[in-house]
């Protein structure tokens, strides 16, 4: 069976801390890192038969999630590309940060440039695509707005090639303030559970917007969301302090950030697919319409029966992304739950 390989990239810009769930070996490894450096983990899928395949697809998860969210999608896409699914710093297998104020999009984007530089050094990237869910889409907008070439990126890092196709999964430059308030109610809570099954049940309650999933699908989505706790049971995989920057956000600062994100969006030259959950409280219909009319003029596919954010696990959602990345322009405007459940669309 096609399985991912875990790798790491060293990233400048912020000092590392070992995750709270780390064992002695992990603490020792983190302690040996230079000041101002942290490691980002990433999962690589490749079923092409070419370890240096020139087509790279980067899939980046949402705010409190991790790279294994994309297992179903990555397994499919890895038939024709090298698929890279990072654990954004502070999540999954990546280091945590000493200073929680580093948990913001500019640092995440710089980390992605370091990742792309490492991948490009391993094997030249000729075609670069990006799939971003929620926060991963915000990072993707920043990356896609950059010009490729020396000096074009942050911290002296450059984008090796332009982003060709960009999938924005239920996110845009304008984020509804009520959705941020909802997320803030649970983000950063240090929850501990007796076992995986009870963790899955608890996470399902706060993730109703993800849409319908079978028990098996949901358990698979939950496995990488928890880590064994030194005190027994399991805990959430992420640093609770990722909530610190968000807690400092105000409607005024959010509006200022929105203006910058629209500037990024309008500079994007890539073809863009916008996936919107029809019941999303984060991406409004008005924002989706604006994204179709300005900048790269995204094609929007709305998923019925789903809110924020589609998991890209069910077959029809996977097929939608695959077809777009393979150049199919005959994409639906809406998909019913029945169509999303089908193996082809």
């Amino acid at each position: 069976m096609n399985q991912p390989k875990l790798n790491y990239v060293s990233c400048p810009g912020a000092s590392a801390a070992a995750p709270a769930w780390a064992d002695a070996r992990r603490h020792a490894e983190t302690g040996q890192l230079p000041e101002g450096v942290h490691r980002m983990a990433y999962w690589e899928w490749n079923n092409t038969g070419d370890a240096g395949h020139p087509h790279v697809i980067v899939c980046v998860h949402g705010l409190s999630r991790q790279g294994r969210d994309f297992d179903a999608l990555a397994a499919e896409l890895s038939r024709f590309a090298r698929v890279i699914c990072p654990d954004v710093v502070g999540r999954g297998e990546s280091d945590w940060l000493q200073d929680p104020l580093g948990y913001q999009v500019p640092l995440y984007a710089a980390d992605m440039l370091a990742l792309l530089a490492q991948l490009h050094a391993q094997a030249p990237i000729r075609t670069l695509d990006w799939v971003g869910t929620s926060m991963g889409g915000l990072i993707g907008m920043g990356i896609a707005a950059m010009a490729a070439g020396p000096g074009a990126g942050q911290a002296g890092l450059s984008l090796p090639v332009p982003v060709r196709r960009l999938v924005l999964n239920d996110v845009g430059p304008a984020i509804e303030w009520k959705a941020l308030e909802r997320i803030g109610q649970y983000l950063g809570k240090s929850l501990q559970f007796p076992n995986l099954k009870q963790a899955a049940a608890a996470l399902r309650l706060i993730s109703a917007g993800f849409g319908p999933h079978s028990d098996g699908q949901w358990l698979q989505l939950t496995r990488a969301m928890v880590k064994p706790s030194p005190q027994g049971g399991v805990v959430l995989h992420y640093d609770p302090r990722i909530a610190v920057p968000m807690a400092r956000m105000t409607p005024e600062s959010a509006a200022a950030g929105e203006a910058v994100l629209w500037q990024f969006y309008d500079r994007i030259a890539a073809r863009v697919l916008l996936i919107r959950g029809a019941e999303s409280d984060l991406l409004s219909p008005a924002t989706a319409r604006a994204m179709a009319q300005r900048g790269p003029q995204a094609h929007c596919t709305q998923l019925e029966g789903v809110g924020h954010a589609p998991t890209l696990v069910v077959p029809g959602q996977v097929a939608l992304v695959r077809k777009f990345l393979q150049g199919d322009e005959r994409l639906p405007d809406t998909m019913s739950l029945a169509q999303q459940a089908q193996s082809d669309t």
Side-chain angles (χ1 to χ4, degrees), residues 15 52 59-60 91 94 100 102 108 120-121 127 133 138-139 156 223 228 233 235 243 248 250 258 263 297 300 312 332:
S15 297
C59 302
V60 186
R91 289 91 166 164
S94 291
Y108 302 154
H120 191 58
T127 303
T133 295
L138 297 179
I139 300 168
R223 289 187 192 280
V235 294
R248 298 189 177 196
T250 65
E258 176 184 328
Q263 292 175 14
Q297 298 182 334
C300 181
L312 309 182

Side-chain angles (χ1 to χ4, degrees), residues 170-179 258 262 274-292 300 302 307-308:
D170 207 62
V171 71
I175 296 174
E176 298 301 300
W177 181 252
K178 287 185 178 180
E258 176 184 328
W262 276 117
L274 176 63
I275 300 174
R276 181 178 184 270
E279 300 173 8
S280 176
D281 63 347
L282 186 137
L283 177 65
S284 73
T287 297
R289 287 193 296 270
M291 294 172 71
C300 181
Q302 186 159 270
H308 183 77

Side-chain angles (χ1 to χ4, degrees), residues 50-140:
D50 178 3
H53 199 283
H55 186 181
V56 170
I57 303 172
V58 180
C59 302
V60 186
H61 58 79
L63 183 62
S64 64
R65 305 292 301 186
Q66 36 64 46
R68 297 304 299 269
D69 272 3
F70 293 104
D71 280 9
L73 179 66
E76 173 68 12
L77 301 181
S78 67
R79 296 187 298 107
F80 62 87
R82 188 180 178 193
V83 184
I84 308 297
C85 305
D87 288 343
V88 176
V89 65
R91 289 91 166 164
E93 297 295 331
S94 291
D95 290 336
W96 292 8
L97 296 179
Q98 291 183 18
D99 181 359
L101 292 180
Y103 290 128
Q104 300 191 60
V105 169
L107 179 70
Y108 302 154
D111 287 357
M112 296 303 162
L113 290 176
L115 169 61
L116 290 169
Q118 178 166 298
L119 296 172
H120 191 58
Q122 293 169 351
I125 301 172
R126 303 301 182 200
T127 303
L128 176 62
D129 295 328
W130 191 284
V131 178
T133 295
S134 196
M135 178 189 74
L138 297 179
I139 300 168

